[in-house]
Amino acid sequence: MDQELSEVGTIDAALAPRLRQLKTEYDSLQNYFKIATSWLPEVGAELEEFASEGNSNSSYISRLDQGTRDLIDMLREADFRKETLDALQRSIQEGNQEEDLAQSYRASLDTYRAGYAQKTARQKYAQHAAYFDFRSRIWEVHSEGAMPPLTDMIAAEPGDDHDDNHDDDEDIVVGGTMRQFRCPLTTTLLEDPVESTVCPHAYSRAAITQYIQQAGRRGAECPAAACHAVLTLRNLSDAPGLARRVERYARQVARREELRRGAQWAGAPVLD
Ligand SMILES: [Zn+2]
């Protein structure tokens, strides 16, 4: 697209529709990137489980991690390009003539890239929902409950100031959510999970169905701590993806237990 813009010398009216079209092309490109970022966490979790069975995977995981970061970079640059195209379009509509549109576009892109290159990995990724999803899906293969803040999982670089940034960065992730693997009613791992469509909670199907039925027609308050959403059976939806994640975690728990018993039988000290 830079090439096409660079052929443009001065602005004419025919350029405005072309700018709109370029913007649409960036939109569809971003949709592909988003589909890719939504799949990488699943692939990462599969690899992590594969590794726990004694296979080496560290280079694959780190390549996927890099791939996720690259996609985030591309999504952001596409956002920037769209904004710039918008600004150029407005400028044309207002009747402004820029001497060289392509040059101005290139100059703002260069400024953007130079600024982005100055950022540390923490600044780029620690608060991005796609990166949170990627790391948390790998984390939850072994661990239940909250993942440490991403700022603790990305090595500090010059420019990352612990004291100044930590309070701001901690736990602030736009759009990312950790899933609880335990049913708030049974307190055991979710069985045949269903998700609420009115709050971010999930339950074992049999338990929540009975709980709602007992409450009668008005519905029942969500049983998760501090959640006051009112649930009816219509607010429950199937959660096959979550079911897979809980099963994967349950396999890890079983495996650890098996190893622990094996160690006991062998008379070796038990490591917990
Ligand atoms: Zn709830």
Side-chain angles (χ1 to χ4, degrees):
M1 86 134 278
D2 294 327
Q3 207 179 0
E4 287 164 50
L5 268 182
S6 70
E7 286 162 11
V8 176
T10 51
I11 295 166
D12 62 69
L15 192 59
R18 180 70 188 125
L19 290 181
R20 267 198 297 280
Q21 191 193 336
L22 284 172
K23 241 191 91 196
T24 314
E25 283 167 18
Y26 276 120
D27 281 334
S28 53
L29 200 60
Q30 282 185 311
N31 283 334
Y32 286 119
F33 293 162
K34 282 174 187 164
I35 291 167
T37 56
S38 72
W39 277 102
L40 286 176
E42 181 64 24
V43 179
E46 287 288 338
L47 279 172
E48 189 68 13
E49 183 173 19
F50 183 63
S52 72
E53 289 155 8
N55 306 293
S56 169
N57 81 333
S58 54
S59 74
Y60 292 118
I61 293 270
S62 66
R63 268 185 273 169
L64 278 183
D65 188 283
Q66 189 56 53
T68 303
R69 293 179 184 208
D70 291 346
L71 282 166
I72 290 169
D73 295 343
M74 288 191 275
L75 278 167
R76 287 213 173 106
E77 183 168 313
D79 271 336
F80 175 80
R81 285 174 179 248
K82 287 197 296 185
E83 282 163 26
T84 309
L85 291 171
D86 269 342
L88 291 178
Q89 211 177 341
R90 275 197 303 276
S91 174
I92 293 169
Q93 277 159 359
E94 287 160 11
N96 295 326
Q97 296 277 315
E98 288 188 48
E99 282 304 298
D100 189 342
L101 185 60
Q103 205 176 350
S104 131
Y105 181 79
R106 171 55 68 188
S108 24
L109 192 56
D110 285 348
T111 310
Y112 166 82
R113 284 182 174 161
Y116 197 70
Q118 294 293 313
K119 293 186 177 198
T120 66
R122 281 185 183 178
Q123 288 162 350
K124 289 179 193 166
Y125 312 113
Q127 292 177 49
H128 201 284
Y131 195 64
F132 177 88
D133 285 343
F134 179 76
R135 296 299 291 253
S136 65
R137 290 290 295 281
I138 291 171
W139 167 266
E140 73 181 22
V141 171
H142 303 288
S143 322
E144 237 184 294
M147 180 175 71
L150 283 173
T151 41
D152 291 357
M153 303 178 83
I154 302 173
E157 294 165 51
D160 286 323
D161 187 328
H162 275 283
D163 301 330
D164 286 352
N165 287 337
H166 206 74
D167 287 345
D168 295 340
D169 292 348
E170 204 166 7
D171 293 334
I172 301 174
V173 174
V174 182
T177 47
M178 286 294 286
R179 270 287 182 204
Q180 292 292 325
F181 283 175
R182 283 178 191 275
C183 173
L185 289 163
T186 65
T187 72
T188 58
L189 286 179
L190 291 163
E191 285 173 44
D192 190 9
V194 287
E195 287 171 322
S196 161
T197 56
V198 291
C199 65
H201 299 116
Y203 329 86
S204 296
R205 187 188 300 270
I208 191 71
T209 304
Q210 192 190 15
Y211 176 80
I212 291 174
Q213 279 167 348
Q214 279 169 358
R217 266 188 311 180
R218 283 188 176 180
E221 194 169 273
C222 171
C227 182
H228 302 295
V230 174
L231 299 169
T232 66
L233 292 177
R234 285 183 178 188
N235 302 130
L236 302 179
S237 76
D238 290 346
L242 181 59
R244 268 202 309 280
R245 289 157 66 183
V246 176
E247 279 163 23
R248 180 182 282 133
Y249 175 71
R251 284 196 294 274
Q252 288 295 314
V253 172
R255 191 180 156 74
R256 274 205 295 272
E257 180 61 18
E258 207 176 292
L259 288 173
R260 203 175 63 89
R261 285 202 190 137
Q264 273 176 331
W265 279 108
V270 178
L271 300 174
D272 251 334

